[in-house]
Amino acid sequence: MESKEILWKKCLLKIEEQVPSESYSAWFSPTYPHVLTEDSLIVAVPNNFYKECLQENYHELMGSILNSLTDTPIDLQFKTEAECCPGEKKEEAPALKQSEPQLKVEFTNPVLSSINPKYNFSNFIVGSSNQFAHAAASAVANNPALTYNPLFIYGGVGLGKTHLLHAIGNAMLKRDPRPRIRYLSAESFTVDLIESLKRDDMPSFRNRYRPLDVLFVDDIQFLAGKDRTQEEFFYTFNALYESHKQVVLSSDKYPKDMMSIEERLRSRFESGLVADIEIPDLETKVAIIYKKAEAHNKSIPQDVAIFIASNIKTNIRELEGFLLRIIAFASFTHREINLELTQDVLKEFTYDKNKNFTAPIIIKTVASYFNIKVSDMKSKKRSREISIPRQIAMYLCREYTKFSLPDIGRQFGGKDHTTVIFSHKKLTKIINENGSLGKSVKEIIDLIESGKTS
Ligand code: ADP
Ligand code: MG
């Protein structure tokens, strides 16, 4: 039988294909296989919160994936780390403790380090949009803690931040499997903290982070407005930084533009190297399409690749999603992948994306993007902080929904249709100028299209 690590790794790879990447990193990255027998697998999870959520939401999916990988049925169970290693603090695993005094079991094996082997430097396409971030990432991978610390990668949704973080981790582990590396999203960090506080068990929380050699925290913008988590992250960061351990962070915003993040944290973020990833140009997108198709053992004609690259404007995750649809559609219908088929798939794809745009979702997403209340969007308040988001939301309703002008006005607490026309004109101009507000609008469109609107 395969080792539990290999079986679990295969299972995770399949899960990752089937769940959104945010859920994957929040719920699955911190898990690891505890015991595998002939007919059961016990998976260790950080705490009861994870246990209940995984049990409720993912047990069925994980069970069926697991059984597709083994010859005999395997019963899947979750146990918290405390249940797996009740005596850990005392006498557990003495042999290991002797040789590696501080090493916690979960970090000794690269398989358990939560770095996803799927994302590496060799399948990352470098173009002018990401050249700088890529160079910085390779430098850090080759000389952890000696070049840029922290490395802060920022860029819009789906542009390769997570990919680069894992690529650094994989390169480090390939050279030397020993370092204690942990990748997690800021969301997982927050969940872990909340649970530890609830259990009044901060020492073990700190033990999970402070002995690390390398810490990756993805989507750090999630910490905005979460003061207690920021404080704890600040201590974790300092502890690692001061003992010359590498920290790599990602965010969808430049540190300075991160509202509701404490100044001392922001200045920490900027104290190493800040590298951005921009929207890729057409050639880079085409190269990425070829690379992704290759990973699926498919070859894509050039006109199809160019068509995809020119129709999917900004988001590489979406580019990939679209490509997968084309591959799947061609295989279901036994048609070859050509321009005609691609155009058919695009129609449906665009329809699917646009159905996410409803007035309440637009209003809610814009409000949360700018950290204001939905009720403010509908109010008569005219300060800039409120009126700009309101105009953006009106613009999006006009562009993406079938509402009439008066209907749109009504969605905003009974505004006149001329106000909607004015907002639409103003925003069209702003978007064409492509300044920072125009970029924000594009980010909001991305969020709604990809369904990330909570
Ligand atoms: P982000 O974390 O910035 O939202 P991801 O790293 O999750 O984006 O990237 C989204 C998808 O696009 C992933 O499947 C990733 O492999 C792919 N991708 C992004 N940039 C590149 C690139 N330069 N080369 C190859 N694939 C890329
Ligand atoms: Mg990401």
Side-chain angles (χ1 to χ4, degrees), residues 21-22 158 160-163 183 218-219 250 317 452:
S21 63
E22 289 64 37
K161 302 181 293 293
T162 299
H163 189 134
Y183 163 92
D218 209 351
D219 292 318
S250 89
R317 184 175 305 124
K452 287 202 233 156

Coordinates of all heavy atoms in Angstrom, one line a residue, residues 21-22 158 160-163 183 218-219 250 317 452, ligand 2:
S21 N -10.1 27.9 -4.9 CA -8.8 27.9 -4.3 C -8.8 28.5 -2.9 O -8.0 28.1 -2.0 CB -7.8 28.6 -5.2 OG -8.1 29.9 -5.3
E22 N -9.7 29.5 -2.6 CA -9.7 30.1 -1.3 C -10.2 29.0 -0.3 O -9.6 28.9 0.8 CB -10.7 31.2 -1.2 CG -10.3 32.5 -1.9 CD -10.2 32.3 -3.4 OE1 -11.0 31.5 -4.0 OE2 -9.2 32.8 -4.0
G158 N -6.2 36.6 -9.4 CA -5.9 35.6 -10.4 C -4.7 35.9 -11.3 O -4.6 35.4 -12.4
G160 N -1.4 35.2 -10.3 CA -0.3 34.4 -10.1 C 0.4 34.6 -8.8 O 1.5 34.0 -8.6
K161 N -0.2 35.3 -7.8 CA 0.5 35.5 -6.5 C 0.7 34.1 -5.8 O 1.7 33.8 -5.4 CB -0.3 36.4 -5.6 CG -0.6 37.8 -6.3 CD -1.3 38.7 -5.3 CE -2.8 38.3 -5.1 NZ -3.6 38.3 -6.3
T162 N -0.5 33.4 -5.7 CA -0.4 32.1 -4.9 C 0.6 31.2 -5.6 O 1.3 30.5 -5.0 CB -1.8 31.5 -4.9 OG1 -2.6 32.5 -4.1 CG2 -1.8 30.2 -4.1
H163 N 0.5 31.2 -7.0 CA 1.4 30.3 -7.7 C 2.9 30.6 -7.3 O 3.6 29.7 -7.1 CB 1.2 30.6 -9.2 CG 1.9 29.6 -10.1 ND1 1.3 29.0 -11.2 CD2 3.1 29.1 -10.1 CE1 2.1 28.2 -11.8 NE2 3.3 28.2 -11.1
Y183 N 2.8 27.2 4.5 CA 2.0 28.1 3.7 C 0.6 28.1 4.2 O 0.0 27.1 4.5 CB 2.0 27.6 2.2 CG 0.9 28.3 1.4 CD1 1.1 29.4 0.7 CD2 -0.4 27.7 1.4 CE1 0.1 30.0 0.0 CE2 -1.5 28.3 0.7 CZ -1.2 29.5 0.0 OH -2.2 30.1 -0.6
D218 N -0.8 34.1 2.5 CA -1.4 34.5 1.3 C -2.6 35.4 1.6 O -3.2 35.2 2.6 CB -1.8 33.2 0.5 CG -1.9 33.4 -1.0 OD1 -1.7 34.5 -1.4 OD2 -2.1 32.4 -1.6
D219 N -2.8 36.3 0.7 CA -4.0 37.2 0.8 C -4.1 37.9 2.1 O -5.1 37.9 2.8 CB -5.3 36.4 0.5 CG -5.3 35.9 -0.9 OD1 -5.0 36.7 -1.8 OD2 -5.7 34.8 -1.1
S250 N 1.5 37.8 0.4 CA 0.8 38.3 -0.8 C -0.4 39.1 -0.5 O -1.0 39.0 0.6 CB 0.4 37.2 -1.7 OG -0.9 36.8 -1.4
R317 N -6.7 33.0 -13.9 CA -7.5 31.9 -13.4 C -8.7 31.7 -14.3 O -9.1 30.6 -14.6 CB -8.0 32.2 -11.9 CG -8.8 31.0 -11.3 CD -9.1 31.2 -9.9 NE -7.9 31.6 -9.1 CZ -7.8 32.6 -8.4 NH1 -8.8 33.5 -8.3 NH2 -6.7 32.9 -7.7
K452 N -16.8 35.9 -6.0 CA -16.2 36.2 -4.7 C -16.8 37.4 -4.1 O -16.1 38.4 -3.9 CB -14.7 36.3 -4.9 CG -14.0 35.1 -5.2 CD -12.6 35.2 -4.8 CE -11.6 34.9 -5.9 NZ -10.4 35.5 -5.8
Ligands
MG2 MG -4.3 33.6 -4.5

